[in-house]
Amino acid sequence: MKGKFITIEGPDGAGKTTQVRKISDYLKSKGFNVLVTREPGGTALGEKLREVLLTSEGESPVPEAEALIYAASRAQLVKKVIEPALDDGFIILCDRFVDSSLAYQGWARGLGIEKLADINGWFLKGVWPDLTIVLDIDPAQSLKRISGKKDRLESEALEFHRKVREGFLKLSEIYPDRIKVVDASQSPHEIFKTILFELKKSGIITL
Ligand code: TYD
């Protein structure tokens, strides 16, 4: 049986992790087999690459290297976790996926959305998400929600985060059937209700 692949995207501090947990709890309560994973990470190798990507210490990767390290983590996750779980009929919820690379590296870093779609398309093949929820919020608001020490990407200037947001909105125009934008300035409960509506509208769940 073929499963379904849902990704949750958005700028830093948009509340993705809370929503992934809410969606997962809901789907499990309805009897679905759910697998939750995240990027960068989700495999042993991916978690090591995550450390390399997010540390603020030492030499920063140039944008091209950054794009390829995210892609390496993704390739590992796709082959080791996502493809097998789809074959087993799971609903996969992934906290960030390819659209983060298109928005952060492709648009905000200026490498080009098409270039990043090409690089990732090489190994994704048919494994593009069935549905992508973009939690949309003004980064001036979302960055305030981040507590503790900021990682390398979170420490970027507000202007960079504005470009990331712009990138996600552009992607929703490029892939209107797959990407749905949800207003993330609402309360977590309101956001969840809107996501549920999108899940039902997309036909992924019928309950
Ligand atoms: P994540 O831990 O999801 O950040 P947060 O939970 O703070 O939103 O992701 C780590 C960072 O990596 C985040 O700043 C976005 C960035 N990122 C990219 O730049 N490109 C990518 O392809 C991915 C998956 C993430």
Side-chain angles (χ1 to χ4, degrees):
M1 190 181 118
K2 188 88 172 79
K4 292 286 179 196
F5 184 22
I6 303 166
T7 59
I8 314 294
E9 299 274 8
D12 295 85
K16 290 177 285 78
T17 311
T18 306
Q19 293 303 325
V20 167
R21 203 190 53 239
K22 280 178 175 290
I23 303 165
S24 163
D25 289 350
Y26 176 84
L27 292 175
K28 281 181 184 164
S29 78
K30 297 289 175 194
F32 289 100
N33 288 326
V34 181
L35 184 130
V36 174
T37 186
R38 69 163 179 183
E39 279 209 351
T43 64
L45 176 63
E47 293 295 329
K48 284 190 187 163
L49 295 174
R50 179 182 178 91
E51 281 177 36
V52 169
L53 285 161
L54 299 187
T55 181
S56 303
E57 275 148 40
E59 183 181 345
S60 294
V62 297
E64 290 81 356
E66 186 180 80
L68 293 170
I69 304 171
Y70 278 112
S73 171
R74 181 165 306 124
Q76 191 76 4
L77 183 69
V78 166
K79 304 287 168 190
K80 290 268 187 186
V81 176
I82 294 178
E83 281 183 349
L86 281 175
D87 286 343
D88 287 343
F90 276 79
I91 296 190
I92 299 165
L93 290 175
C94 195
D95 188 336
R96 296 196 184 279
F97 193 65
V98 65
D99 298 293
S100 279
S101 281
L102 305 188
Y104 281 77
Q105 284 69 48
W107 187 251
R109 295 271 194 236
L111 296 179
I113 288 177
E114 263 185 49
K115 173 57 80 186
L116 268 291
D118 267 5
I119 292 169
N120 282 272
W122 168 59
F123 61 85
L124 287 182
K125 308 242 164 43
V127 188
W128 284 73
D130 295 297
L131 175 71
T132 297
I133 302 288
V134 167
L135 297 183
D136 179 51
I137 187 164
D138 180 349
Q141 197 182 335
S142 64
L143 290 174
K144 277 196 217 134
R145 295 179 180 170
I146 298 170
S147 54
K149 195 168 174 278
K150 289 193 169 132
D151 67 35
R152 188 175 60 85
L153 276 287
E154 287 163 352
S155 307
E156 287 283 345
L158 186 57
E159 201 36 50
F160 175 80
H161 292 283
R162 292 223 158 98
K163 290 223 69 154
V164 169
R165 181 190 197 188
E166 198 178 87
F168 279 123
L169 295 179
K170 255 179 207 302
L171 291 173
S172 71
E173 285 164 18
I174 299 174
Y175 305 103
D177 294 339
R178 175 173 68 82
I179 301 185
K180 305 297 169 192
V181 177
V182 171
D183 175 5
S185 66
Q186 309 172 89
S187 71
H189 181 65
E190 287 299 318
I191 298 172
F192 176 63
K193 271 186 7 200
T194 316
I195 293 177
L196 212 52
F197 173 76
E198 292 296 348
L199 279 174
K200 289 176 181 168
K201 209 167 74 176
S202 70
I204 289 182
I205 54 168
T206 47
L207 297 164

